[in-house]
Amino acid sequence: MADVRLDPMTEDQYKPWRAEAEAHYAQSLAASGQSAQDAARNAAGTYAQLLPDESATPDHHFWYAYDGDRRVGFLWVKVTHDTAFVYNVAVEPDVRRQGYGRAIMLAAESWCHDNALTRIALHVFAHNTGARALYEQLGFTETGRNMAKDLSPRSARPPGFSTSCDPSEVPVVDSCSSEVVSVYGDQARGVGTPQIPTDPETNHWGGGKNPE
């Protein structure tokens, strides 16, 4: 199995990584159904909220992963209490499907142990079966699920349709919301920060590869 080390990003390395990561996150949002314009706007807003001080934002850690002298990927986590939340992890395109995705995640686990953290968490899109398979193989379990429904125009609603919401009639959904909130990582701790889906073998914006 591949073995990697994690080296903290320098400021010069962080800047181009940051721009590319946001662009690819927008692609991931578009692949999940958002328009290109909405995806770009939402990706920019998410990264601005997550990293107000860029690489100096407290509790965020950024590494490049190396196999010897060869850079094979990167990792970004945020630490909250006893949990490390993986916001982004990727394998370089020319070395994918060689076990580096697994190796980077195991290196992340080792870093967590060294820093007295007891939990590691992440978010992944439902359509990304390849990434989900990898995380399940590594022992991750599902702790929540986002759900959404496309609504028809008002004129197409059936007779008698009510716009009122009674929480007692929809026990799965909190506060008459139209979306069930996932409880991965920070949101499980009540912090409520946005979630970036992670997929090491496709840089988190691709879909469906069978990881190794």
Side-chain angles (χ1 to χ4, degrees), residues 1-2 70 91 93-101 201 212:
M1 184 183 71
R70 184 176 190 179
V91 174
D94 60 335
V95 293
R96 289 177 184 166
R97 301 184 64 79
Q98 298 180 35
Y100 286 116
E201 291 298 321
E212 296 176 352

Side-chain angles (χ1 to χ4, degrees), residues 60-76:
H60 288 260
H61 304 269
F62 309 88
W63 299 272
Y64 272 120
Y66 292 87
D67 182 356
D69 294 330
R70 184 176 190 179
R71 195 168 79 191
V72 296
F74 66 76
L75 175 68
W76 165 25

Side-chain angles (χ1 to χ4, degrees), residues 16-99:
W17 168 84
R18 163 71 167 78
E20 184 178 4
E22 181 182 315
H24 285 297
Y25 180 43
Q27 292 179 26
S28 184
L29 293 176
S32 72
Q34 294 187 21
S35 69
Q37 182 177 8
D38 286 346
R41 181 175 62 252
N42 290 334
T46 294
Y47 271 79
Q49 180 179 350
L50 289 174
L51 300 171
D53 297 320
E54 298 296 348
S55 61
T57 302
D59 301 319
H60 288 260
H61 304 269
F62 309 88
W63 299 272
Y64 272 120
Y66 292 87
D67 182 356
D69 294 330
R70 184 176 190 179
R71 195 168 79 191
V72 296
F74 66 76
L75 175 68
W76 165 25
V77 305
K78 179 189 177 184
V79 174
T80 303
H81 306 302
D82 60 353
T83 297
F85 188 86
V86 180
Y87 274 120
N88 204 338
V89 56
V91 174
E92 297 289 345
D94 60 335
V95 293
R96 289 177 184 166
R97 301 184 64 79
Q98 298 180 35

Side-chain angles (χ1 to χ4, degrees), residues 154-185:
R154 287 182 180 273
S155 60
R157 290 175 179 174
F161 182 89
S162 174
T163 58
S164 64
C165 178
D166 180 355
S168 67
E169 296 176 357
V170 281
V172 179
V173 182
D174 293 335
S175 303
C176 291
S177 170
S178 61
E179 180 174 306
V180 177
V181 177
S182 176
V183 288
Y184 292 88

